[in-house]
Amino acid sequence: MLVKEELNRYIRQMILPELGLAGQEKLKAAKVLVIGAGGLGCPMLQYLAAAGVGEIGIIDDDVVELSNLHRQILYNHTDIGQPKAQVAAAKLAMLNPHIRLTAYHERFTAERAGHICQDYDLVIDCSDNFTTRYLVNDTCVALGKTLIFGSILQFEGQVAVFNHQGSANYRDLYPAPPTENINCVEGGVIGILPGLIGLYMANEAIKLICGIGETLSGKLMTVNALNNAVLIFKIASKKPTDTAKPAPAKTDKAISEIDKTTLDNWLETNADEVFLIDVRESYEHEDDSIGGINLPLYELTASLTAIPKNKKVVCYCQTGQRSKMAVQLLSGIYQGEVYSLKGGIFG
C-alpha cells in the first residue's frame, strides 16, 4: 500500500488513466533484476527507481572507470574505482527512499544465475558481452521469466522483450554466440545512445509490470541515432507448441522466401543472375558464409547502390530471421526481386 509521501511523489504518472493507483501499486509490488549497471543500466535504473519499482536487484562485477563517464551518467569522477552495483544502489536510494535495492558486486555466472533470478519477477539484460546474454536468456527460459533485452554499438541500439507468455527468446534470433565479442570497448559508442535505448527498456518494463500498452514481446526494435531510423521487426518463435501470438509489428509485410534447394538450383543453372547478401555482422560472415557480399542489416538502406537491380537478390543469415527482416526493410525502396533464404545457411 502506498503511503502519503508516495502518493505525492507519483501523482503525475498516477493521473494517467492507463496507470492509475492500481498501476502504481503494481510497480511497488514488482521485483526487477537488472544485469549490468553500465551504459544501458544507468538511465534505465534511474527511471525505474523514480517510477517506484518496489524492489530492484543490481548485478555487476565491474568498477567505475574514467572512460565510462561519457555515457554512464549515474556516476561521476569521485566514483572512479568504486563497484558499480554498490554505487548505483546508493545513489538510487537517495533518488527514492521508498524502494528496496540489492547490490550484487559479482559476475553473473552459471553457478549463481538461477539462484539470483528466481527471486525476481522480471529480468532486464543490460550486459555488454555475448556470454552473459546467452546465460541470461537460457536462465530466463528455464525459470519462465520474461526478459527485456537491450544492446548498443556505435550508433545503433536494439530492444526486445523475450520469453513473455510463450514469445520468442534470444536464441530464436541468434541461435549461438559468435566466436568473438565486439562491444563498445572495441567498436565505440556515441554517449547519447545508451540513454535512448535504456529509456526504451525502462518503458517496456513499466508497461509489462502494469499490463498496459503494446510491448515489444516477440519483436525487435532497432534505433539508429545517426539517421533517426526506427524499425520494428517480428521474431518468430521456434517452439513447436507455442500458442502465443504477439501482435504483428507495424512493419510486417509478405516475405518472399526460397529454400536452400531452390537457391542451389539457381546457382547451378544460372549463377550470374543471383546476387547473395549476407545480412549478419562482419565477424559472422568471416566465420562462415555461402558467398556474396556482407551488408549487416542496419547498413542495408544506406547501401542500395551496391545492390544490382537486374538480378535475383537473396538475403541470408544464420537462421532466416534477419534475412526476413532485410526483405521487409528493402520492400518499397528497392525495385528488384528480393528473397530471404528460409532457415538460414544451416536450415
Side-chain angles (χ1 to χ4, degrees):
M1 185 174 179
L2 301 172
V3 299
K4 182 178 179 180
E5 185 178 335
E6 288 177 289
L7 292 172
N8 189 37
R9 175 183 288 265
Y10 307 128
I11 186 61
R12 293 297 188 272
Q13 65 188 30
M14 287 173 58
I15 61 176
L16 294 169
E18 293 86 354
L19 198 142
L21 175 61
Q24 193 62 55
E25 289 179 334
K26 288 179 181 178
L27 287 171
K28 183 170 183 176
K31 298 179 179 180
V32 176
L33 176 65
V34 178
I35 300 169
L40 289 172
C42 283
M44 199 267 309
L45 282 165
Q46 286 172 284
Y47 274 89
L48 289 188
V53 171
E55 186 169 338
I56 301 175
I58 310 166
I59 181 166
D60 197 308
D61 70 333
D62 203 2
V63 297
V64 179
E65 298 179 5
L66 180 61
S67 61
N68 301 150
L69 300 183
H70 88 290
R71 67 193 184 281
Q72 298 179 19
I73 57 170
L74 185 58
Y75 313 119
N76 60 54
H77 70 280
T78 65
D79 301 317
I80 292 174
Q82 301 300 311
K84 288 181 181 179
Q86 294 175 3
V87 173
K91 294 193 175 187
L92 296 174
M94 290 189 288
L95 173 63
N96 190 344
H98 300 286
I99 63 175
R100 296 180 299 277
L101 296 146
T102 303
Y104 303 88
H105 179 51
E106 60 183 272
R107 181 170 290 277
F108 190 76
T109 63
E111 292 74 24
R112 291 272 291 155
H115 176 74
I116 295 174
C117 287
Q118 67 182 358
D119 295 329
Y120 295 90
D121 309 315
L122 179 65
V123 178
I124 305 180
D125 183 7
C126 297
S127 63
D128 63 356
N129 65 87
F130 289 108
T131 300
T132 302
R133 288 175 188 169
Y134 281 91
L135 177 57
V136 173
N137 176 79
D138 296 348
T139 302
C140 287
V141 170
L143 297 177
K145 304 286 186 181
T146 296
L147 169 63
I148 298 177
F149 161 80
S151 70
I152 52 172
L153 185 64
Q154 297 179 337
F155 292 94
E156 184 178 273
Q158 298 181 345
V159 185
V161 174
F162 291 124
N163 203 47
H164 180 61
Q165 298 177 348
S167 70
N169 67 73
Y170 185 68
R171 286 189 183 271
D172 289 323
L173 184 60
Y174 302 108
T179 55
E180 60 179 304
N181 183 58
I182 299 178
N183 55 29
C184 297
V185 175
E186 292 84 15
V189 63
I190 188 71
I192 197 70
L193 182 63
L196 292 172
I197 301 303
L199 295 188
Y200 271 116
M201 295 171 74
N203 191 48
E204 289 301 298
I206 291 171
K207 290 189 294 181
L208 285 165
I209 293 168
C210 296
I212 61 175
E214 181 179 343
T215 71
L216 290 170
S217 176
K219 304 170 192 173
L220 176 73
M221 180 174 73
T222 66
V223 179
N224 189 310
L226 202 56
N227 62 17
N228 293 316
V230 179
L231 302 167
I232 300 178
F233 303 99
K234 185 176 180 180
I235 308 170
S237 172
K238 291 183 173 57
K239 298 177 183 177
T241 58
D242 183 15
T243 57
K245 296 181 179 179
K250 295 180 180 179
T251 54
D252 280 356
K253 296 179 181 179
I255 304 298
S256 297
E257 292 184 283
I258 61 168
D259 57 25
K260 190 65 162 54
T261 300
T262 301
L263 176 59
D264 290 341
N265 182 57
W266 286 359
L267 293 173
E268 183 178 348
T269 57
N270 205 336
D272 290 340
E273 292 186 1
V274 181
F275 190 79
L276 296 174
I277 303 178
D278 184 350
V279 298
R280 300 173 299 168
E281 300 296 323
S282 58
Y283 59 84
E284 295 176 278
H285 179 75
E286 292 170 1
D287 282 346
D288 195 0
S289 77
I290 57 174
I293 66 171
N294 178 216
L295 291 176
L297 189 63
Y298 54 84
E299 294 182 6
L300 275 177
T301 56
S303 307
L304 289 178
T305 55
I307 308 174
K309 295 183 176 62
N310 58 344
K311 295 187 178 183
K312 295 176 180 178
V313 175
V314 179
C315 299
Y316 71 87
C317 62
Q318 191 167 353
T319 66
Q321 289 283 1
R322 280 174 282 176
S323 60
K324 286 195 293 185
M325 295 178 187
V327 175
Q328 283 184 323
L329 195 58
L330 291 173
S331 178
I333 61 173
Y334 176 75
Q335 303 304 314
E337 296 181 55
V338 187
Y339 303 89
S340 169
L341 181 60
K342 188 175 183 178
I345 59 177
F346 302 122

